[in-house]
PDB file of all heavy atoms in Angstrom:
ATOM      1  N   GLY A 715       6.461  -4.767  17.107  1.00 98.00           N
ATOM      2  CA  GLY A 715       5.451  -5.509  16.332  1.00 98.00           C
ATOM      3  C   GLY A 715       5.081  -4.710  15.093  1.00 98.00           C
ATOM      4  O   GLY A 715       3.949  -4.857  14.456  1.00 98.00           O
ATOM      5  N   ALA A 716       6.011  -3.850  14.573  1.00 98.00           N
ATOM      6  CA  ALA A 716       5.776  -2.962  13.487  1.00 98.00           C
ATOM      7  C   ALA A 716       5.438  -3.613  12.185  1.00 98.00           C
ATOM      8  O   ALA A 716       4.806  -3.124  11.263  1.00 98.00           O
ATOM      9  CB  ALA A 716       6.910  -2.009  13.237  1.00 98.00           C
ATOM     10  N   THR A 717       5.919  -4.877  12.073  1.00 98.00           N
ATOM     11  CA  THR A 717       5.591  -5.623  10.786  1.00 98.00           C
ATOM     12  C   THR A 717       4.366  -6.447  10.984  1.00 98.00           C
ATOM     13  O   THR A 717       3.990  -7.282  10.039  1.00 98.00           O
ATOM     14  CB  THR A 717       6.820  -6.604  10.463  1.00 98.00           C
ATOM     15  OG1 THR A 717       6.937  -7.557  11.569  1.00 98.00           O
ATOM     16  CG2 THR A 717       8.049  -5.801  10.276  1.00 98.00           C
ATOM     17  N   GLY A 718       3.715  -6.386  12.155  1.00 97.00           N
ATOM     18  CA  GLY A 718       2.488  -7.278  12.333  1.00 97.00           C
ATOM     19  C   GLY A 718       1.214  -6.637  11.818  1.00 97.00           C
ATOM     20  O   GLY A 718       1.281  -5.517  11.248  1.00 97.00           O
ATOM     21  N   ASN A 719       0.179  -7.410  11.910  1.00 97.00           N
ATOM     22  CA  ASN A 719      -1.193  -6.937  11.353  1.00 97.00           C
ATOM     23  C   ASN A 719      -1.598  -5.537  11.943  1.00 97.00           C
ATOM     24  O   ASN A 719      -2.058  -4.771  11.167  1.00 97.00           O
ATOM     25  CB  ASN A 719      -2.178  -7.958  11.727  1.00 97.00           C
ATOM     26  CG  ASN A 719      -1.996  -9.191  10.934  1.00 97.00           C
ATOM     27  OD1 ASN A 719      -1.957  -9.222   9.703  1.00 97.00           O
ATOM     28  ND2 ASN A 719      -1.917 -10.395  11.595  1.00 97.00           N
ATOM     29  N   VAL A 720      -1.402  -5.336  13.261  1.00 98.00           N
ATOM     30  CA  VAL A 720      -1.792  -4.122  13.836  1.00 98.00           C
ATOM     31  C   VAL A 720      -0.670  -3.051  13.617  1.00 98.00           C
ATOM     32  O   VAL A 720      -0.800  -1.997  13.284  1.00 98.00           O
ATOM     33  CB  VAL A 720      -2.067  -4.233  15.334  1.00 98.00           C
ATOM     34  CG1 VAL A 720      -2.430  -2.969  15.985  1.00 98.00           C
ATOM     35  CG2 VAL A 720      -3.212  -5.317  15.566  1.00 98.00           C
ATOM     36  N   THR A 739      12.155  -4.666  14.453  1.00 98.00           N
ATOM     37  CA  THR A 739      11.861  -5.971  13.844  1.00 98.00           C
ATOM     38  C   THR A 739      13.173  -6.896  14.069  1.00 98.00           C
ATOM     39  O   THR A 739      14.218  -6.370  14.327  1.00 98.00           O
ATOM     40  CB  THR A 739      11.662  -5.880  12.284  1.00 98.00           C
ATOM     41  OG1 THR A 739      11.556  -7.175  11.717  1.00 98.00           O
ATOM     42  CG2 THR A 739      12.851  -5.133  11.641  1.00 98.00           C
ATOM     43  N   ARG A 740      12.894  -8.211  14.052  1.00 98.00           N
ATOM     44  CA  ARG A 740      14.017  -9.119  14.243  1.00 98.00           C
ATOM     45  C   ARG A 740      14.816  -9.212  12.908  1.00 98.00           C
ATOM     46  O   ARG A 740      15.838  -9.724  12.913  1.00 98.00           O
ATOM     47  CB  ARG A 740      13.549 -10.473  14.678  1.00 98.00           C
ATOM     48  CG  ARG A 740      13.076 -10.442  16.143  1.00 98.00           C
ATOM     49  CD  ARG A 740      12.269 -11.720  16.446  1.00 98.00           C
ATOM     50  NE  ARG A 740      11.089 -11.720  15.658  1.00 98.00           N
ATOM     51  CZ  ARG A 740      10.202 -12.671  15.612  1.00 98.00           C
ATOM     52  NH1 ARG A 740      10.437 -13.765  16.269  1.00 98.00           N
ATOM     53  NH2 ARG A 740       9.169 -12.647  14.864  1.00 98.00           N
ATOM     54  N   ASP A 757      15.467  -7.755  19.318  1.00 98.00           N
ATOM     55  CA  ASP A 757      14.597  -8.908  19.806  1.00 98.00           C
ATOM     56  C   ASP A 757      14.044  -8.508  21.172  1.00 98.00           C
ATOM     57  O   ASP A 757      14.826  -8.307  22.072  1.00 98.00           O
ATOM     58  CB  ASP A 757      15.428 -10.094  19.812  1.00 98.00           C
ATOM     59  CG  ASP A 757      14.582 -11.434  20.055  1.00 98.00           C
ATOM     60  OD1 ASP A 757      13.539 -11.251  20.800  1.00 98.00           O
ATOM     61  OD2 ASP A 757      14.899 -12.525  19.444  1.00 98.00           O
ATOM     62  N   LEU A 758      12.791  -8.472  21.316  1.00 98.00           N
ATOM     63  CA  LEU A 758      12.145  -8.133  22.569  1.00 98.00           C
ATOM     64  C   LEU A 758      12.510  -9.032  23.723  1.00 98.00           C
ATOM     65  O   LEU A 758      12.473  -8.640  24.843  1.00 98.00           O
ATOM     66  CB  LEU A 758      10.586  -8.071  22.442  1.00 98.00           C
ATOM     67  CG  LEU A 758      10.015  -6.836  21.742  1.00 98.00           C
ATOM     68  CD1 LEU A 758       8.618  -7.078  21.418  1.00 98.00           C
ATOM     69  CD2 LEU A 758      10.212  -5.592  22.652  1.00 98.00           C
ATOM     70  N   ILE A 777       4.235  -4.740  22.034  1.00 98.00           N
ATOM     71  CA  ILE A 777       3.416  -5.988  21.949  1.00 98.00           C
ATOM     72  C   ILE A 777       3.715  -6.726  23.194  1.00 98.00           C
ATOM     73  O   ILE A 777       4.719  -6.542  23.956  1.00 98.00           O
ATOM     74  CB  ILE A 777       3.681  -6.775  20.588  1.00 98.00           C
ATOM     75  CG1 ILE A 777       5.232  -7.039  20.477  1.00 98.00           C
ATOM     76  CG2 ILE A 777       3.180  -6.074  19.394  1.00 98.00           C
ATOM     77  CD1 ILE A 777       5.562  -7.973  19.343  1.00 98.00           C
ATOM     78  N   THR A 778       3.003  -7.921  23.375  1.00 98.00           N
ATOM     79  CA  THR A 778       3.269  -8.688  24.654  1.00 98.00           C
ATOM     80  C   THR A 778       3.753 -10.023  24.374  1.00 98.00           C
ATOM     81  O   THR A 778       3.944 -10.887  25.181  1.00 98.00           O
ATOM     82  CB  THR A 778       1.920  -8.836  25.385  1.00 98.00           C
ATOM     83  OG1 THR A 778       0.932  -9.454  24.507  1.00 98.00           O
ATOM     84  CG2 THR A 778       1.364  -7.455  25.891  1.00 98.00           C
ATOM     85  N   GLY A 780       6.661 -12.754  22.499  1.00 96.00           N
ATOM     86  CA  GLY A 780       8.103 -12.775  22.169  1.00 96.00           C
ATOM     87  C   GLY A 780       8.566 -13.757  21.171  1.00 96.00           C
ATOM     88  O   GLY A 780       9.702 -14.183  21.139  1.00 96.00           O
ATOM     89  N   GLY A 781       7.556 -14.150  20.266  1.00 93.00           N
ATOM     90  CA  GLY A 781       8.020 -15.079  19.282  1.00 93.00           C
ATOM     91  C   GLY A 781       6.810 -15.353  18.330  1.00 93.00           C
ATOM     92  O   GLY A 781       5.668 -15.029  18.548  1.00 93.00           O
ATOM     93  N   TYR A 784       3.558 -17.020  19.646  1.00 87.00           N
ATOM     94  CA  TYR A 784       2.787 -16.139  20.497  1.00 87.00           C
ATOM     95  C   TYR A 784       3.023 -16.394  21.987  1.00 87.00           C
ATOM     96  O   TYR A 784       2.199 -16.025  22.871  1.00 87.00           O
ATOM     97  CB  TYR A 784       1.237 -16.387  20.216  1.00 87.00           C
ATOM     98  CG  TYR A 784       0.852 -15.693  18.916  1.00 87.00           C
ATOM     99  CD1 TYR A 784       0.960 -16.339  17.723  1.00 87.00           C
ATOM    100  CD2 TYR A 784       0.393 -14.338  18.816  1.00 87.00           C
ATOM    101  CE1 TYR A 784       0.686 -15.731  16.560  1.00 87.00           C
ATOM    102  CE2 TYR A 784       0.012 -13.730  17.695  1.00 87.00           C
ATOM    103  CZ  TYR A 784       0.173 -14.396  16.565  1.00 87.00           C
ATOM    104  OH  TYR A 784      -0.151 -13.788  15.234  1.00 87.00           O
ATOM    105  N   LEU A 808      -0.386  -3.538  23.340  1.00 98.00           N
ATOM    106  CA  LEU A 808      -1.316  -4.348  22.607  1.00 98.00           C
ATOM    107  C   LEU A 808      -1.410  -5.680  23.345  1.00 98.00           C
ATOM    108  O   LEU A 808      -0.550  -6.514  23.123  1.00 98.00           O
ATOM    109  CB  LEU A 808      -0.900  -4.485  21.189  1.00 98.00           C
ATOM    110  CG  LEU A 808      -1.747  -5.282  20.335  1.00 98.00           C
ATOM    111  CD1 LEU A 808      -3.184  -4.692  20.321  1.00 98.00           C
ATOM    112  CD2 LEU A 808      -1.181  -5.290  18.760  1.00 98.00           C
ATOM    113  N   SER A 809      -2.417  -5.785  24.170  1.00 97.00           N
ATOM    114  CA  SER A 809      -2.543  -6.964  25.067  1.00 97.00           C
ATOM    115  C   SER A 809      -3.613  -7.956  24.557  1.00 97.00           C
ATOM    116  O   SER A 809      -4.511  -7.529  23.875  1.00 97.00           O
ATOM    117  CB  SER A 809      -2.906  -6.384  26.437  1.00 97.00           C
ATOM    118  OG  SER A 809      -3.297  -7.586  27.244  1.00 97.00           O
ATOM    119  N   ASP A 810      -3.418  -9.200  24.795  1.00 91.00           N
ATOM    120  CA  ASP A 810      -4.432 -10.192  24.417  1.00 91.00           C
ATOM    121  C   ASP A 810      -5.445 -10.432  25.513  1.00 91.00           C
ATOM    122  O   ASP A 810      -6.201 -11.392  25.492  1.00 91.00           O
ATOM    123  CB  ASP A 810      -3.746 -11.516  23.908  1.00 91.00           C
ATOM    124  CG  ASP A 810      -3.032 -12.218  25.038  1.00 91.00           C
ATOM    125  OD1 ASP A 810      -3.123 -11.793  26.275  1.00 91.00           O
ATOM    126  OD2 ASP A 810      -2.338 -13.149  24.721  1.00 91.00           O
ATOM    127  N   PRO A 832      -7.799  -5.495  22.320  1.00 96.00           N
ATOM    128  CA  PRO A 832      -8.713  -5.759  21.275  1.00 96.00           C
ATOM    129  C   PRO A 832      -9.250  -7.157  21.419  1.00 96.00           C
ATOM    130  O   PRO A 832      -8.631  -8.010  22.003  1.00 96.00           O
ATOM    131  CB  PRO A 832      -7.883  -5.698  19.973  1.00 96.00           C
ATOM    132  CG  PRO A 832      -6.522  -5.934  20.449  1.00 96.00           C
ATOM    133  CD  PRO A 832      -6.394  -5.519  21.884  1.00 96.00           C
ATOM    134  N   VAL A 833     -10.522  -7.351  20.955  1.00 89.00           N
ATOM    135  CA  VAL A 833     -11.064  -8.804  20.951  1.00 89.00           C
ATOM    136  C   VAL A 833     -10.482  -9.360  19.653  1.00 89.00           C
ATOM    137  O   VAL A 833      -9.487  -8.945  19.096  1.00 89.00           O
ATOM    138  CB  VAL A 833     -12.594  -8.708  20.945  1.00 89.00           C
ATOM    139  CG1 VAL A 833     -13.081  -8.370  22.299  1.00 89.00           C
ATOM    140  CG2 VAL A 833     -13.154  -7.855  19.797  1.00 89.00           C
ATOM    141  N   LEU A 835      -9.207 -10.085  16.308  1.00 97.00           N
ATOM    142  CA  LEU A 835      -8.846  -9.205  15.173  1.00 97.00           C
ATOM    143  C   LEU A 835      -9.470  -9.775  13.841  1.00 97.00           C
ATOM    144  O   LEU A 835      -9.388 -10.958  13.655  1.00 97.00           O
ATOM    145  CB  LEU A 835      -7.359  -9.097  14.983  1.00 97.00           C
ATOM    146  CG  LEU A 835      -6.487  -8.437  16.138  1.00 97.00           C
ATOM    147  CD1 LEU A 835      -5.030  -8.580  15.867  1.00 97.00           C
ATOM    148  CD2 LEU A 835      -6.995  -7.122  16.422  1.00 97.00           C
ATOM    149  N   ASN A 838      -7.517 -12.172  11.927  1.00 95.00           N
ATOM    150  CA  ASN A 838      -7.435 -13.582  12.234  1.00 95.00           C
ATOM    151  C   ASN A 838      -8.138 -14.407  11.072  1.00 95.00           C
ATOM    152  O   ASN A 838      -7.894 -15.547  10.880  1.00 95.00           O
ATOM    153  CB  ASN A 838      -8.042 -13.917  13.543  1.00 95.00           C
ATOM    154  CG  ASN A 838      -7.226 -13.405  14.696  1.00 95.00           C
ATOM    155  OD1 ASN A 838      -6.049 -13.153  14.530  1.00 95.00           O
ATOM    156  ND2 ASN A 838      -7.794 -13.212  15.868  1.00 95.00           N
TER     157      ASN A 838
HETATM  158  N1  LIG N1238      -4.672 -11.843  17.093  1.00 89.13           N
HETATM  159  C1  LIG N1238      -5.564 -11.388  17.958  1.00 89.13           C
HETATM  160  O1  LIG N1238      -6.756 -11.649  17.802  1.00 89.13           O
HETATM  161  C2  LIG N1238      -5.114 -10.570  19.075  1.00 89.13           C
HETATM  162  C3  LIG N1238      -6.105 -10.182  19.981  1.00 89.13           C
HETATM  163  C4  LIG N1238      -5.739  -9.390  21.069  1.00 89.13           C
HETATM  164  C5  LIG N1238      -4.381  -8.986  21.179  1.00 89.13           C
HETATM  165  N2  LIG N1238      -3.458  -9.445  20.281  1.00 89.13           N
HETATM  166  C6  LIG N1238      -2.069  -8.994  20.506  1.00 89.13           C
HETATM  167  O2  LIG N1238      -1.526  -8.599  19.245  1.00 89.13           O
HETATM  168  C7  LIG N1238      -0.056  -8.588  19.486  1.00 89.13           C
HETATM  169  C8  LIG N1238       0.491  -9.205  18.096  1.00 89.13           C
HETATM  170  O3  LIG N1238       0.171  -8.210  17.173  1.00 89.13           O
HETATM  171  P1  LIG N1238      -0.240  -8.601  15.721  1.00 89.13           P
HETATM  172  O4  LIG N1238      -1.408  -9.547  15.787  1.00 89.13           O
HETATM  173  O5  LIG N1238      -0.327  -7.369  14.988  1.00 89.13           O
HETATM  174  O6  LIG N1238       1.049  -9.363  15.321  1.00 89.13           O
HETATM  175  P2  LIG N1238       1.318 -10.372  14.228  1.00 89.13           P
HETATM  176  O7  LIG N1238       0.711  -9.934  12.942  1.00 89.13           O
HETATM  177  O8  LIG N1238       1.036 -11.765  14.602  1.00 89.13           O
HETATM  178  O9  LIG N1238       2.967 -10.179  14.057  1.00 89.13           O
HETATM  179  C9  LIG N1238       3.799 -10.517  15.179  1.00 89.13           C
HETATM  180  C10 LIG N1238       4.664  -9.368  15.352  1.00 89.13           C
HETATM  181  O10 LIG N1238       5.501  -9.594  16.482  1.00 89.13           O
HETATM  182  C11 LIG N1238       6.852  -9.300  16.289  1.00 89.13           C
HETATM  183  N3  LIG N1238       7.637 -10.176  17.158  1.00 89.13           N
HETATM  184  C12 LIG N1238       7.378 -11.429  17.461  1.00 89.13           C
HETATM  185  N4  LIG N1238       8.362 -11.890  18.339  1.00 89.13           N
HETATM  186  C13 LIG N1238       9.256 -10.857  18.479  1.00 89.13           C
HETATM  187  C14 LIG N1238      10.389 -10.697  19.202  1.00 89.13           C
HETATM  188  N5  LIG N1238      10.974 -11.640  19.970  1.00 89.13           N
HETATM  189  N6  LIG N1238      11.025  -9.477  19.150  1.00 89.13           N
HETATM  190  C15 LIG N1238      10.560  -8.433  18.386  1.00 89.13           C
HETATM  191  N7  LIG N1238       9.386  -8.571  17.741  1.00 89.13           N
HETATM  192  C16 LIG N1238       8.781  -9.784  17.690  1.00 89.13           C
HETATM  193  C17 LIG N1238       7.046  -9.611  14.805  1.00 89.13           C
HETATM  194  O11 LIG N1238       8.045  -8.876  14.365  1.00 89.13           O
HETATM  195  P3  LIG N1238       9.224  -9.417  13.272  1.00 89.13           P
HETATM  196  O12 LIG N1238       8.785 -10.715  12.842  1.00 89.13           O
HETATM  197  O13 LIG N1238       9.309  -8.345  12.272  1.00 89.13           O
HETATM  198  O14 LIG N1238      10.477  -9.508  14.260  1.00 89.13           O
HETATM  199  C18 LIG N1238       5.649  -9.129  14.215  1.00 89.13           C
HETATM  200  O15 LIG N1238       5.717  -7.726  13.970  1.00 89.13           O
HETATM  201  C19 LIG N1238       0.279  -9.357  20.703  1.00 89.13           C
HETATM  202  O16 LIG N1238       0.725  -8.467  21.685  1.00 89.13           O
HETATM  203  C20 LIG N1238      -1.086  -9.955  21.066  1.00 89.13           C
HETATM  204  O17 LIG N1238      -1.200  -9.994  22.456  1.00 89.13           O
HETATM  205  C21 LIG N1238      -3.764 -10.135  19.248  1.00 89.13           C
END
Side-chain angles (χ1 to χ4, degrees):
T717 61
N719 290 307
V720 177
T739 176
R740 288 163 299 171
D757 187 326
L758 283 166
I777 53 171
T778 58
Y784 286 87
L808 181 56
S809 167
D810 65 8
V833 289
L835 297 176
N838 290 339

